[in-house]
């Protein structure tokens, strides 16, 4: 499926971005082991989160769906699934669910699509093995025989919320305490949700964060906030397109996730945050973005990378319009995402006329450079597809993106939303 887009005259109005993907995954996973029925209001209805729900249903969770709401009734004991746990394109499904499966006396095989099957799973298999689970495979398919886990202190070599969450979720049913530390802090949705559901989260400078085995997740209700990673496409689009003013209500602004707001501000963008409230431990705000008066080059390094890892593709588009050379370094993690995001963005932006130098761990982008529309390949990666669509909004001529169907994994209504706010 292809998507065609051309230059926008302005971006205006108000748009509630789709609900947060990371939080929806966690709400479903937590609900599957909670001490009573839970309600998830306004979940993200996109393929990745549907993969999590479908896997959990195979393991015994009962879901009752009505408009904009999922009610979860946990099973008293998980059953070994008939057939594979199909995680589709979703790394979060596979990595977090593996922690729950490994902690229960069942056997399961976890599979993924072609992209997920290329992604590293040794990063979760290794700590789960140290805890006592049998895990075969360092890439999907993963074969897991779980149960009888012992707590560990695990120093993760990568800053990854998926690794941290996998180990903490396994630790809830392990003997003793389970701790995880990481090179720099990754998003803390799991810790916040644990606390909000009555589970004490231990913290220490040396060992990172931890949980005590036997801690129980209390029943909860959540209304999932909007996803800052999806809002990021509109934040960058409205910053770049002239005469734009856009309101984005109800967006999650968790500080371990909000690096994109800091970069936009450093580059000279205009984003206001108002009316902050909290939802199950998560800060939520209304954002207002206007066309940036002028934009200068920015630098992103190791400490900031985990706080904006999913926004780097669209920040690369921003960099093409900033004065000077922007650099994104110490971001080799980008090569292990749904596609090699360094290669995919460099190829797409170069085809549009941008000057991009790549490194093993990042890229340098020269700006400002006029972009021109052309036919582009998004490598089956939703964030590359949508970032290139934003580039198309400021390019001369028509941009045509092949493989567009991948946006269904996180933002099925991207095109409808674009048409509602962009005056083309
Ligand atoms: C996610 C964590 C990040 C992010 C992914 C979702 C999560 O991955 O890229 O889209 O929900 O925990 P890593 O934690 O592996 O960097």
């Amino acid at each position: 499926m292809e998507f065609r887009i051309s230059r926008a005259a302005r971006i205006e109005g108000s748009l509630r971005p789709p609900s947060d993907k990371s939080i929806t995954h966690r709400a479903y996973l937590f609900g599957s082991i909670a001490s009573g029925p839970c309600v998830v209001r306004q979940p993200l209805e996109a393929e990745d989160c549907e993969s999590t729900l479908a896997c959990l249903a195979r393991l015994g969770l009962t879901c009752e769906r009505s408009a904009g709401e999922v009610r979860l009734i946990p099973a008293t004991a998980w059953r070994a699934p008939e057939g594979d746990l199909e995680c589709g394109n979703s790394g979060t499904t596979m990595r977090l669910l593996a922690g729950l499966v490994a902690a229960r006396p069942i056997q399961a095989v976890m599979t993924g699509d072609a992209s997920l099957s290329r992604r590293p799973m040794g990063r979760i298999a290794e700590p789960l093995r140290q805890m006592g689970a049998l895990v075969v495979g360092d890439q999907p398919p993963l074969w897991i025989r779980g149960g009888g886990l012992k707590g560990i202190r695990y120093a993760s070599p990568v800053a990854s919320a998926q690794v941290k969450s996998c180990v903490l979720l396994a630790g809830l049913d392990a003997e003793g305490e389970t701790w995880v530390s990481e090179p720099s802090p990754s998003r803390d949705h799991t810790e916040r949700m644990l606390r909000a559901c009555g589970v004490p989260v231990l913290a220490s400078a040396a060992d990172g964060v931890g949980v005590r085995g036997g801690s129980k997740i209390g029943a909860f209700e959540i209304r999932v906030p909007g996803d800052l990673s999806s809002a990021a496409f509109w934040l960058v689009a409205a910053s770049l397109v002239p005469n734009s003013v856009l309101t984005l209500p109800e967006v999650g602004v968790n500080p371990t996730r909000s690096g994109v707001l800091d970069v936009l501000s450093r580059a000279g963008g205009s984003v206001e945050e108002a009316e902050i409230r909290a939802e199950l431990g998560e800060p939520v705000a209304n954002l207002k973005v206007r066309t940036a008066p002028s934009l200068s080059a920015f630098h992103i390094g190791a400490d900031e990378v985990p706080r904006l890892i999913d926004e780097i593709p669209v920040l690369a588009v921003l960099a093409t319009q900033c004065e000077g050379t922007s650099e994104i370094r110490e971001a080799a993690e980008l090569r292990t995402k749904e596609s090699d995001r360094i290669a995919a963005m460099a190829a797409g932006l170069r085809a549009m006329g941008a000057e991009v130098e790549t490194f093993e761990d990042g890229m340098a982008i020269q700006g400002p450079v006029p972009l021109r529309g052309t036919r582009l390949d998004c490598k089956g990666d939703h964030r590359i597809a949508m970032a290139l669509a934003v580039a198309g909004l400021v390019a001369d001529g028509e941009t045509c993106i092949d493989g567009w169907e991948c946006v269904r994994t996180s933002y099925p209504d991207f095109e409808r939303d674009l048409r509602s706010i962009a005056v083309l």
Side-chain angles (χ1 to χ4, degrees):
M1 192 175 148
E2 63 176 32
F3 177 65
R4 289 172 182 273
I5 185 75
S6 47
R7 185 184 284 285
R10 63 182 184 280
I11 294 195
E12 63 185 15
S14 174
L15 175 73
R16 200 258 187 206
S19 288
D20 191 278
K21 185 150 82 77
S22 291
I23 296 177
T24 302
H25 279 300
R26 283 161 176 79
Y28 290 162
L29 292 159
F30 277 49
S32 73
I33 54 166
S35 56
C38 302
V39 182
V40 186
R41 299 207 170 83
Q42 233 175 334
L44 173 64
E45 294 184 21
E47 280 177 2
D48 273 9
C49 297
E50 295 304 313
S51 294
T52 292
L53 214 44
C55 289
L56 291 169
R58 289 199 152 189
L59 292 159
L61 175 76
T62 305
C63 320
E64 292 167 0
R65 296 185 91 131
S66 48
E69 190 173 300
V70 178
R71 196 174 134 82
L72 306 167
I73 302 158
T76 34
W78 281 28
R79 58 168 184 251
E82 277 171 34
D84 297 347
L85 296 174
E86 289 168 18
C87 304
N89 191 247
S90 174
T92 310
T93 305
M94 185 169 286
R95 295 196 177 114
L96 272 60
L97 182 58
L100 291 183
V101 170
R104 288 170 171 74
I106 53 172
Q107 265 185 44
V109 178
M110 306 186 81
T111 57
D113 70 2
S115 152
L116 186 56
S117 299
R118 286 191 293 269
R119 295 178 65 188
M121 293 299 150
R123 54 178 62 190
I124 54 144
E126 179 52 32
L128 293 176
R129 287 177 194 132
Q130 286 182 21
M131 294 177 85
L134 210 58
V135 184
V136 180
D138 285 332
Q139 274 182 324
L142 290 186
W143 183 90
I144 303 183
R145 189 159 75 206
L149 302 189
K150 290 199 169 40
I152 55 169
R153 278 168 205 266
Y154 186 65
S156 171
V158 279
S160 161
Q162 295 183 347
V163 172
K164 177 176 61 178
S165 304
C166 168
V167 176
L168 291 177
L169 290 176
L172 291 176
D173 285 281
E175 194 187 308
E177 293 179 358
T178 298
W179 289 80
V180 198
S181 61
E182 46 187 351
S184 46
S186 63
R187 65 187 67 184
D188 66 357
H189 298 305
T190 298
E191 298 92 302
R192 284 171 188 259
M193 205 179 278
L194 282 171
R195 282 191 206 100
C197 295
V199 175
V201 177
L202 317 171
S204 105
D207 293 321
V209 289
V211 290
R212 264 184 221 109
S215 302
K216 293 275 174 276
I217 291 181
F220 62 88
E221 296 194 359
I222 185 173
R223 180 178 152 89
V224 182
D227 197 320
L228 182 56
S229 298
S230 297
F233 298 111
W234 310 128
L235 290 171
V236 171
S239 297
L240 294 180
V241 173
N243 307 314
S244 298
V245 189
L246 176 70
T247 305
L248 297 158
E250 257 198 285
V251 183
V253 288
N254 179 322
T256 60
R257 269 284 288 284
S258 59
V260 63
L261 298 176
D262 300 343
V263 171
L264 267 168
S265 148
R266 288 209 297 281
S270 164
V271 184
E272 287 166 35
E273 251 180 83
E275 284 187 50
I276 299 225
R277 65 176 177 90
E279 179 69 42
L280 212 65
E282 293 285 346
V284 183
N286 296 336
L287 304 178
K288 187 171 207 173
V289 53
R290 293 186 165 78
T291 310
S294 66
L295 283 165
S296 50
F298 56 86
H299 294 250
I300 298 173
D303 288 350
E304 207 168 25
V305 165
R307 295 183 56 236
L308 44 66
I309 184 79
D310 292 339
E311 291 66 72
I312 292 176
V314 77
L315 286 173
V317 176
L318 180 77
T320 66
Q321 305 307 308
C322 291
E323 183 74 47
T325 306
S326 294
E327 271 212 333
I328 298 156
R329 298 304 294 259
E330 298 173 279
E333 260 307 279
L334 289 172
R335 297 200 184 268
T336 71
K337 294 292 177 186
E338 286 83 329
S339 69
D340 175 342
R341 288 183 173 163
I342 295 174
M345 278 318 290
L349 291 176
R350 279 180 190 141
M352 298 181 87
E355 286 179 39
V356 185
E357 188 184 351
T358 60
F359 314 102
E360 193 39 46
D361 69 345
M363 47 195 152
I365 300 166
Q366 191 71 46
V369 171
L371 299 178
R372 52 171 190 272
T374 182
R375 186 171 275 274
L376 300 167
D377 177 3
C378 64
K379 306 286 178 195
D381 183 329
H382 56 132
R383 299 213 193 275
I384 302 300
M386 293 183 277
L388 292 174
V390 171
L393 290 172
V394 292
D396 287 331
E398 193 180 57
T399 299
C400 177
I401 301 165
D402 285 321
W404 183 254
E405 60 281 358
C406 60
V407 303
R408 291 183 198 139
T409 61
S410 69
Y411 200 159
D413 292 327
F414 182 93
E415 183 174 355
R416 183 202 66 190
D417 284 356
L418 171 65
R419 310 254 173 241
S420 78
I421 56 172
V423 179
L424 298 172

